[in-house]
Amino acid sequence: MFAKIFKRVSIQAFIASFFLCFFANLFITYCMSLDDIKQDAFLKTVGFSFLFILITLLVSLSENKKLNAKFGATHLLSFPLTILLFNQEGTFDLKRGLIGLFLLIALNVYTRELKQKQPTQEIFLLSVLITSISFFNYNFVLFYTVPFLFFIEPQYRRLKNGIILITGILCTTQFLMVCSYFLTGHFFYKSVNVNTIDFQVSESLWLGAILGSVVIALFFRPTQYKNSLGKQGVYRAFQFMLIWLIISILFRYLNLYHGNEKWLLSFIPTAFFLGLGIDYIKNNLIKELLILTLIITAVSFNLYQYNLISF
């Protein structure tokens, strides 16, 4: 059933994905509200479902610039599954939403089809986007790894590209600091202390998902993605998401995040690699059994975690 519906990126797959996101969000809301869902919580669930569909669309388009394509279709299934697996500590707000949106835009900029031209415009846009999110937390400078990947390829090692990168960083930083000073009276540039932390039992399911994503990234798909290099930005999407996943793990382990968001940065790359892992399985029966196992495991874990059932 799942394998047939999510075989290609299509309107049917988007509709099915929306309802899966909705019911996954509704279930998590049910667990967190301890069987007492308020009207505002229900409306927030609907809003989050639309948000996840938008996120999935942006991720899918980073691999395919058109509908009715095989690459990216599996993410329409993996994102609802990831909602169930995700460690739900921390809250979603406007700032975190902007950071996620900017990273998704950066993903689509990085995966543009370059053909024979230089990535000058792409490097500048990436420098602006990454500098903007670094203004909230300067540890996001780790994402500068992404534009530097262009310089690994000999045809893009141009002095002009390097100057554009530095110019974008400096101009954006100055602009944001001036705006912040006029609006707040001080330079809004936050940092956090670096220190390692212990993991909690409530994170065990999500840690399993993270570990699975790392295994998929390292062993399953790189070879296939290398064969697609230069075609629809598929390999570049893989590179970007791998960097995003590694940075999210560093943020959690070194306590680089703000507030209590913990694993929030890891949600999108984990969903991405989970989708690749599902897509890697060619036997539909095994794929269906794996999906059902993940759903049952996630549902049972959440019910137990919020003391709605006991073993």
Side-chain angles (χ1 to χ4, degrees):
M1 178 180 69
F2 291 108
K4 184 178 180 180
I5 294 175
F6 297 100
K7 185 177 181 180
R8 291 181 178 273
V9 179
S10 63
I11 300 300
Q12 179 188 15
F14 271 109
I15 294 173
S17 182
F18 169 80
F19 282 105
L20 287 176
C21 284
F22 172 76
F23 286 116
N25 278 311
L26 187 63
F27 171 73
I28 295 299
T29 303
Y30 169 84
C31 292
M32 296 182 70
S33 61
L34 301 178
D35 193 16
D36 186 21
I37 301 177
K38 304 295 185 182
Q39 183 178 1
D40 58 338
F42 179 81
L43 293 176
K44 186 180 292 185
T45 298
V46 177
F48 278 149
S49 299
F50 281 108
L51 175 64
F52 283 120
I53 285 296
L54 175 61
I55 292 173
T56 309
L57 175 63
L58 290 173
V59 172
S60 297
L61 289 178
S62 71
E63 296 179 297
N64 305 279
K65 306 305 179 184
K66 59 182 181 179
L67 292 175
N68 195 33
K70 291 184 179 180
F71 270 120
T74 186
H75 301 312
L76 294 169
L77 172 62
S78 66
F79 271 82
L81 290 176
T82 308
I83 294 172
L84 292 174
L85 296 170
F86 183 59
N87 177 258
Q88 300 290 333
E89 296 184 24
T91 57
F92 183 84
D93 57 22
L94 179 61
K95 184 189 75 174
R96 297 183 180 103
L98 286 175
I99 291 173
L101 177 62
F102 279 23
L103 285 174
L104 288 170
I105 294 173
L107 169 64
N108 279 271
V109 169
Y110 182 66
T111 55
R112 285 179 179 175
E113 196 70 47
L114 296 175
K115 296 182 180 178
Q116 301 299 321
K117 71 171 186 175
Q118 288 292 312
T120 305
Q121 182 181 4
E122 286 74 15
I123 289 175
F124 178 77
L125 289 174
L126 286 171
S127 68
V128 171
L129 290 166
I130 296 170
T131 303
S132 297
I133 64 173
S134 299
F135 200 68
F136 294 110
N137 179 346
Y138 70 61
N139 293 299
F140 282 113
V141 297
L142 293 170
F143 279 99
Y144 282 123
T145 307
V146 175
F148 278 113
L149 289 176
F150 282 117
F151 296 96
I152 295 177
E153 302 175 47
Q155 68 270 29
Y156 300 143
R157 294 174 191 166
R158 303 290 178 87
L159 178 61
K160 180 178 70 173
N161 292 335
I163 294 174
I164 286 294
L165 176 61
I166 296 172
T167 301
I169 294 172
L170 293 178
C171 290
T172 306
T173 301
Q174 292 298 317
F175 174 77
L176 290 173
M177 293 184 75
V178 169
C179 290
S180 178
Y181 183 79
F182 277 107
L183 292 173
T184 65
H186 58 85
F187 296 111
F188 182 69
Y189 206 91
K190 290 188 176 181
S191 63
V192 295
N193 296 324
V194 177
N195 58 287
T196 58
I197 53 177
D198 296 325
F199 297 106
Q200 302 173 0
V201 176
S202 60
E203 301 175 61
S204 56
L205 184 63
W206 188 245
L207 283 172
I210 292 285
L211 179 61
S213 298
V214 172
V215 170
I216 293 167
L218 293 178
F219 297 105
F220 283 96
R221 292 302 291 267
T223 301
Q224 182 172 339
Y225 267 53
K226 286 179 181 178
N227 294 334
S228 301
L229 180 61
K231 182 180 179 181
Q232 298 178 330
V234 172
Y235 183 57
R236 292 193 187 280
F238 182 92
Q239 286 181 316
F240 191 103
M241 284 299 185
L242 180 58
I243 291 171
W244 190 341
L245 179 64
I246 293 171
I247 291 174
S248 70
I249 294 172
L250 290 176
F251 261 63
R252 178 65 181 103
Y253 181 70
L254 299 177
N255 193 25
L256 301 180
Y257 55 86
H258 284 150
N260 60 343
E261 59 208 56
K262 293 186 179 180
W263 286 112
L264 188 59
L265 188 63
S266 66
F267 180 89
I268 293 176
T270 300
F272 177 85
F273 285 109
L274 177 62
L276 298 188
I278 293 173
D279 189 53
Y280 180 83
I281 301 172
K282 302 306 178 185
N283 187 296
N284 287 339
L285 178 59
I286 296 177
K287 185 181 295 188
E288 298 283 354
L289 289 174
L290 174 62
I291 293 169
L292 290 174
T293 300
L294 288 175
I295 293 174
I296 293 171
T297 301
V299 168
S300 300
F301 183 88
N302 280 287
L303 290 173
Y304 177 77
Q305 180 182 355
Y306 292 101
N307 299 315
L308 294 173
I309 61 171
S310 59
F311 294 108

